[in-house]
Amino acid sequence: MSELLKEVEEILLMGPGPSCVPPEVYNALSCKTIGHLDPLFIKIMDEIQALLQKVMNTKNKLTLPISGTGSAGMETCFVNLIEPSDPILILTNGVFGVRMQEVGNRLGAQVDNIDFEWGTPVKPEVVKEKLENNSYKIVAVVHAETSTGVKNPVDEIGSLLKGTDSLFLVDTVTSLGGMEVNIDAWGVDSVYSGSQKCLSCPPGLAPVSLSDRAFSIISNRKTKVPNWYLDMNLIGQYWSGERKRVYHHTAPINMLYALYQALLLIVKEGLENVFQRHKENHIKLKEGLENLGLQMYVEEPYRLPMLNAVTIPEGKDDLKVRQILRNDFKIEIGAGLGPLAGKIWRIGLMGYTARPENVDRLLDALAKTLKEA
Ligand SMILES: *Cc1c(COP(=O)(O)O)cnc(C)c1O
């Protein structure tokens, strides 16, 4: 057996996640493990909840990190809210919308969807028309579609749903901590995120928040939540309550230290400053890419600051470019997925990655690589 960890080297993570982890967060991971019902740990849990409420802009009491990656957050939202045959609508314009359909189908929901062209945003007027003729228990959309680099108009979709009985479910895995996420003002009932994108924590936790309306639907289900591990009725009893906390599963203590530290860093920097930093580095990257003769794949108004889709130029070898960047320059960027495989690169500027020195390093490496490949 060899000591493989000795081979792990620092890679500049400029793909679609995980993102670079700040030293403070690595330090947090190596704090001593304490018990999951230790009074100090419960204080840390309370702080994590308050920090998440702040970053998500919500007063929802049921705001907590699920043990698992972003997809576990997705499962949590769907598995708690859906009962068999419930009609749901998924607005799809990329991989993660398609994953929502899959999750809904597996739970026996009646899944309807509107497909928008990948690389373009969801169009609220099309959604409006659909809602005039149908009613759904849940309408779901991905805020920042990481597979294409497109921002969807969550606030406008939320406005269409206000005053209706539909719950609004939003994926903020890539947006949270990198751009405005305003759960309460946008009328979002159920939201999930992930630790390893703009929160710049290693992968393994999925912040979730449910409105009172969503929670009352869960409490009044006709059938039990079909997944014990992700049942918010049970998890809620461990995460809330003045004194008495009920053990459900052993919390991933050290990962929660890391999330706590990552959220503290964001709040200390200030949300507005964090968003501005993402925007400035996105513009710097975009200008640098254009100087190299490269083109952005998504039209300007719909571009995400933290996920930059770049058209692969004619005659350049997708895989070879990414291999050179990884092997010679120790930089990871992402490939296209599904119909965009071989057509785009995905350059992430998420969280701690979004710094000017990283943009410069990538642009310099890319200039050299493109000459070679
Ligand atoms: C990464 C991502 C997910 C899935 O998260 P995992 O941590 O990979 O499980 C879901 N939705 C979006 C938009 C993502 O970017």
Side-chain angles (χ1 to χ4, degrees):
M1 237 179 281
S2 56
E3 298 260 359
L4 285 179
L5 292 182
K6 290 198 178 127
E7 292 172 31
V8 177
E9 50 186 357
E10 181 144 28
I11 301 295
L12 176 52
L13 296 170
M14 300 192 83
S19 58
C20 296
V21 175
E24 294 92 334
V25 174
Y26 282 128
N27 287 339
L29 275 169
S30 65
C31 283
K32 303 286 180 263
T33 303
I34 59 177
H36 61 280
L37 291 169
D38 190 286
L40 176 61
F41 191 66
I42 289 171
K43 272 195 203 157
I44 294 172
M45 290 164 66
D46 289 344
E47 287 288 303
I48 290 173
Q49 290 190 281
L51 288 163
L52 281 177
Q53 285 170 332
K54 196 168 181 124
V55 175
M56 290 180 162
N57 278 298
T58 182
K59 294 199 170 64
N60 290 342
K61 284 188 287 297
L62 209 55
T63 301
L64 53 85
I66 293 291
S67 310
T69 65
S71 305
M74 185 188 289
E75 291 270 6
T76 301
C77 290
F78 282 95
V79 82
N80 279 276
L81 291 171
I82 289 175
E83 294 197 68
S85 315
D86 280 345
I88 68 172
L89 175 67
I90 317 274
L91 310 173
T92 307
N93 57 346
V95 165
F96 295 104
V98 172
R99 187 174 297 180
M100 283 177 161
Q101 293 175 22
E102 173 70 18
V103 171
N105 276 318
R106 286 181 183 220
L107 292 168
Q110 229 177 284
V111 182
D112 201 353
N113 56 279
I114 314 180
D115 288 317
F116 297 87
E117 197 187 328
W118 289 31
T120 72
V122 167
K123 293 185 181 66
E125 61 276 15
V126 178
V127 180
K128 185 164 185 258
E129 208 183 297
K130 187 89 173 171
L131 292 174
E132 276 161 9
N133 304 310
N134 299 276
S135 69
Y136 299 97
K137 179 171 179 183
I138 297 171
V139 175
V141 70
V142 177
H143 186 200
E145 205 9 294
T146 324
S147 61
T148 63
V150 166
K151 171 173 67 189
N152 282 321
V154 169
D155 49 348
E156 288 174 60
I157 301 163
S159 305
L160 296 175
L161 293 172
K162 274 187 189 150
T164 72
D165 285 335
S166 302
L167 294 168
F168 191 22
L169 193 163
V170 180
D171 173 319
T172 63
V173 176
T174 280
S175 53
L176 192 70
M179 59 198 266
E180 190 194 10
V181 170
N182 214 335
I183 296 311
D184 290 355
W186 295 346
V188 178
D189 293 290
S190 177
V191 64
Y192 60 91
S193 190
S195 53
Q196 79 276 22
K197 313 253 168 133
C198 292
L199 300 179
S200 273
C201 183
L205 288 171
V208 161
S209 182
L210 293 171
S211 68
D212 291 346
R213 186 161 80 129
F215 190 62
S216 82
I217 287 190
I218 297 171
S219 312
N220 294 310
R221 288 176 62 104
K222 290 195 267 318
T223 56
K224 272 192 178 178
V225 174
N227 183 311
W228 180 86
Y229 195 76
L230 301 176
D231 185 336
M232 285 299 270
N233 288 300
L234 304 176
I235 295 172
Q237 292 175 40
Y238 173 56
W239 278 87
S240 60
E242 274 305 302
R243 284 254 153 82
K244 185 99 189 82
R245 300 294 175 115
V246 183
Y247 160 72
H248 177 250
H249 64 274
T250 310
I253 308 289
N254 293 56
M255 273 307 298
L256 288 163
Y257 293 160
L259 180 64
Y260 171 58
Q261 183 60 62
L263 290 168
L264 270 183
L265 290 176
I266 288 172
V267 168
K268 270 190 198 153
E269 184 177 347
L271 281 177
E272 284 308 318
N273 297 334
V274 170
F275 302 157
Q276 187 61 24
R277 176 167 53 77
H278 279 84
K279 202 183 273 173
E280 282 167 9
N281 282 289
H282 156 73
I283 291 168
K284 182 177 166 68
L285 174 68
K286 184 212 105 180
E287 285 170 354
L289 291 169
E290 286 172 354
N291 287 339
L292 294 177
L294 295 167
Q295 276 181 356
M296 302 297 282
Y297 184 74
V298 175
E299 277 185 50
E300 207 267 330
Y302 315 117
R303 281 177 204 154
L304 293 172
M306 71 288 283
L307 197 287
N308 298 269
V310 186
T311 306
I312 299 176
E314 200 77 36
K316 294 294 172 191
D317 185 334
D318 170 22
L319 184 62
K320 197 161 174 205
V321 168
R322 284 184 291 114
Q323 278 171 344
I324 295 172
L325 287 174
R326 170 64 180 78
N327 296 333
D328 299 354
F329 296 97
K330 312 292 176 203
I331 302 174
E332 177 182 283
I333 66 167
L337 293 177
L340 296 180
K343 295 203 175 121
I344 60 168
W345 289 310
R346 292 182 300 149
I347 303 175
L349 287 172
M350 297 181 175
Y352 190 57
T353 301
R355 284 175 290 148
E357 57 269 35
N358 293 339
V359 175
D360 286 334
R361 192 173 140 196
L362 172 71
L363 288 170
D364 181 58
L366 201 52
K368 290 173 181 151
T369 305
L370 286 172
K371 271 194 207 126
E372 231 180 285

